[in-house]
Amino acid sequence: MIWNEKIETMNLEDLKEVQSKRLKSMLDYIYNNSTFYKNKFDKEGINIEDIKSIDDITKLPFTTKEDMRDNYPFGIFSNKSKLAEIHVSSGTTGNPTLVGYTKDDIGLWSDVMARTLGCAGAKPGDVIQIAYGYGLFTGGLGFHYGALEMGLTIIPCSAGMTKRQLKIMEDFKPRILACTPSYAMYMSEDAKDMGMDPRKSSWEIGIFGAEPWSESMRTQIENTWNILATDVYGLSEIIGPGVAQECTNKEGLHVFSDVFYPEIINPTTGQPVKEGEDGELVFTTFTKKAIPVLRYRTRDIVSMTNKQCKCGRTSPRISKIKGRTDDMIVVRGINVFPSQIEHVLVNIEGTTPHYQLVVDRSSKNLDTLEIHVEVEQKIFSDEIKKLTQFENKIQDEIESMLGVSVKVKLLEPRSIERSIGKAVRVIDKRNI
Ligand code: DLL
């Protein structure tokens, strides 16, 4: 169903007018409420009066993840006094990325998430099993707000406790499953262990995202669970889930561009690319109040089309995420940067800066992360017990930093292949 028919099927000219109007009031708001943006505009000699329409957006500066991190915790907020909720995005070195919402922002989130659910094929009265993590991660609560808004019956399972998830599915018969795609596959193994036939599950629709997944993974999930598997995209800095969602045609993700304005740029030059070409996805939030962001560089690589979709929605569609401009990987829903591992290693005496992250997917469809690290020769001359202690120490420190379990493998000096260009830090064997 189309949740917000008026806005989602608006003709492109009217949509452009809405976007232009909203951009101007957003600029006015951030200039007057955000010290960060006021300073930035004043420094760069930007007069917001010069921005007449959405086409002028390219004259404005970008915002980056570093801006958010450098101004941690509240420096980039525009309305700290009216904060209703905060969330934290995983996966950064040092300070995490803190994001916040006013009560009105939660209203906006509820609306875009209701649109997301409608886009995937949900309708009021459906039962949804939310198996994204609740807590500081935006997945669980984002889906929760949207489902409340649409009038679904919510089973707020959060992630994990797989056998219980499966029992709940069997007993309460939810029609919709929301979780990461890798968790959907992981659950099928436990289902088989429990003697269940996954093809007979009550789930008809899956809303899967928060990590990259391929078309072949989609086919695998659809065949295993006998389900329609749709892709949901979002990021904490913009709102969380609720930025873009595939409709049941599965031909690209509809961006809710009346509230989150997308641009695709060449990541090196910062200039817009031609329609259909790959580039970095950039978003401007028009109506968010706690942390509005202007031209936020997501580092996600996609292409975008303005061609109208069969479903009747008029907003642009992005492709599945094709990669990143940085070296971030997503392991079991957690964003991991090699630099985080490096940060831990350099502070442990006896390790060297030669390391690699080896990501794989186990036979149970669970992501595994192994850290291969070269250590000084003298460590290897120590007795086995000491070596194991050393390995455990590194493992503990990395785990507490990342919040994801890892295995550490110590290597003799010079065993990791050297590269003449950029070091190869990540070996991803997951085939996604
Ligand atoms: O992952 C928000 C979310 C929750 C999206 C639940 C979908 C479902 P972050 O933790 O801030 O937010 O991570 C954002 O994850 O920049 C992408 O690199 C990656 N990502 C998110 N969705 C997808 C997807 C949430 N469908 C980062 N496909 C983003 C590929 C995705 N990558």
Side-chain angles (χ1 to χ4, degrees):
M1 77 173 290
I2 301 186
W3 178 250
N4 193 333
E5 185 103 30
K6 184 167 170 241
I7 229 42
E8 289 181 80
T9 59
M10 185 175 265
N11 76 56
L12 290 182
E13 241 166 69
D14 291 347
L15 182 60
K16 206 166 159 179
E17 212 164 288
V18 169
Q19 291 166 334
S20 297
K21 230 194 233 164
R22 288 185 174 170
L23 174 64
K24 283 193 275 180
S25 65
M26 182 261 187
L27 291 174
D28 194 46
Y29 179 77
I30 56 175
Y31 191 73
N32 290 300
N33 290 279
S34 159
T35 322
F36 169 79
Y37 280 115
K38 184 176 187 310
N39 290 344
K40 198 169 178 111
F41 289 0
D42 289 350
K43 200 167 137 211
E44 296 186 25
I46 289 161
N47 181 354
I48 56 173
E49 299 303 325
D50 294 343
I51 306 301
K52 307 281 184 222
S53 88
I54 192 67
D55 295 332
D56 293 329
I57 198 165
T58 51
K59 296 180 184 156
L60 294 164
F62 292 115
T63 308
T64 62
K65 190 149 194 122
E66 287 70 40
D67 289 327
M68 313 235 8
R69 234 183 286 155
D70 294 348
N71 291 282
Y72 178 86
F74 296 110
I76 202 164
F77 281 58
S78 293
N79 201 338
K80 194 175 150 253
S81 61
K82 293 226 171 97
L83 270 189
E85 190 169 315
I86 57 173
H87 283 269
V88 171
S89 156
S90 57
T92 49
T93 317
N95 292 332
T97 306
L98 172 67
V99 296
Y101 308 74
T102 63
K103 200 168 171 204
D104 285 347
D105 292 339
I106 300 281
L108 167 69
W109 203 8
S110 307
D111 177 63
V112 288
M113 279 309 298
R115 294 193 210 175
T116 296
L117 291 162
C119 211
K123 54 184 185 334
D126 280 344
V127 182
I128 183 170
Q129 181 162 359
I130 302 177
Y132 282 110
Y134 278 64
L136 289 175
F137 178 54
T138 55
L141 277 164
F143 270 85
H144 196 98
Y145 291 135
L148 262 185
E149 180 77 9
M150 181 176 259
L152 307 189
T153 304
I154 301 167
I155 315 179
C157 288
S158 196
M161 295 215 255
T162 310
K163 292 204 165 57
R164 192 182 70 169
Q165 301 266 5
L166 292 165
K167 172 137 177 52
I168 283 172
M169 183 269 284
E170 281 207 308
D171 294 351
F172 308 152
K173 310 258 180 291
R175 179 170 176 252
I176 303 163
L177 169 66
C179 66
T180 59
S182 55
Y183 192 52
M185 278 319 293
Y186 177 56
M187 281 201 282
S188 70
E189 299 295 329
D190 270 26
K192 286 174 200 155
D193 289 350
M194 287 163 74
M196 289 166 63
D197 177 358
R199 290 195 57 81
K200 296 204 173 114
S201 86
S202 67
W203 297 318
E204 291 171 21
I205 297 171
I207 312 181
F208 304 126
E211 64 184 7
W213 57 306
S214 58
E215 283 302 330
S216 54
M217 176 119 168
R218 184 195 323 257
T219 309
Q220 207 183 358
I221 295 178
E222 292 194 326
N223 291 340
T224 305
W225 285 110
N226 191 19
I227 197 176
L228 173 88
T230 68
D231 195 356
V232 56
Y233 169 82
L235 62 163
S236 316
E237 293 87 336
I238 302 305
I239 200 147
V243 177
Q245 166 69 37
E246 274 178 340
C247 69
T248 52
N249 294 310
K250 300 183 288 188
E251 287 172 358
L253 291 83
H254 292 271
V255 178
F256 304 122
S257 65
D258 60 302
V259 280
F260 307 130
Y261 184 74
E263 297 171 77
I264 313 291
I265 61 157
N266 175 320
T268 316
T269 64
Q271 293 304 310
V273 302
K274 290 205 195 87
E275 183 174 343
E277 276 178 17
D278 288 353
E280 181 181 346
L281 183 55
V282 170
F283 277 111
T284 297
T285 64
F286 288 143
T287 56
K288 221 169 57 154
K289 294 291 185 222
I291 323 184
V293 286
L294 181 64
R295 308 192 80 205
Y296 183 74
R297 295 188 61 157
T298 66
R299 297 177 176 174
D300 290 318
I301 304 285
V302 296
S303 59
M304 188 162 77
T305 172
N306 284 307
K307 278 198 205 101
Q308 193 162 345
C309 178
K310 293 188 274 255
C311 72
R313 289 176 182 81
T314 44
S315 63
R317 279 169 292 152
I318 51 167
S319 64
K320 268 183 162 300
I321 308 301
K322 299 180 182 181
R324 298 221 5 124
T325 61
D326 60 16
D327 49 5
M328 184 185 94
I329 47 170
V330 185
V331 180
R332 270 172 273 152
I334 307 270
N335 304 343
V336 176
F337 290 88
S339 53
Q340 289 177 288
I341 311 281
E342 192 167 298
H343 183 74
V344 173
L345 294 177
V346 292
N347 288 305
I348 300 179
E349 173 130 15
T351 64
T352 73
H354 300 292
Y355 65 93
Q356 259 174 349
L357 282 61
V358 184
V359 198
D360 207 347
R361 191 155 278 174
S362 71
S363 56
K364 287 198 121 197
N365 280 300
L366 195 67
D367 290 342
T368 57
L369 175 57
E370 210 170 85
I371 317 288
H372 293 183
V373 49
E374 285 181 20
V375 292
E376 289 166 10
Q377 193 62 53
K378 67 171 192 274
I379 303 274
F380 272 103
S381 32
D382 283 342
E383 54 190 279
I384 295 282
K385 197 172 136 213
K386 275 203 188 146
L387 213 58
T388 313
Q389 273 171 353
F390 191 61
E391 213 167 61
N392 291 343
K393 175 183 157 71
I394 301 177
Q395 186 165 317
D396 287 349
E397 290 201 19
I398 293 177
E399 284 180 353
S400 67
M401 154 82 119
L402 297 181
V404 70
S405 57
V406 300
K407 192 171 177 309
V408 170
K409 194 169 160 192
L410 303 182
L411 302 177
E412 301 253 10
R414 303 211 63 80
S415 35
I416 292 177
E417 199 180 326
R418 304 293 194 255
S419 153
I420 52 162
K422 280 177 191 282
V424 180
R425 293 295 188 208
V426 178
I427 298 177
D428 199 334
K429 299 179 171 171
R430 289 176 295 184
N431 222 354
I432 46 177

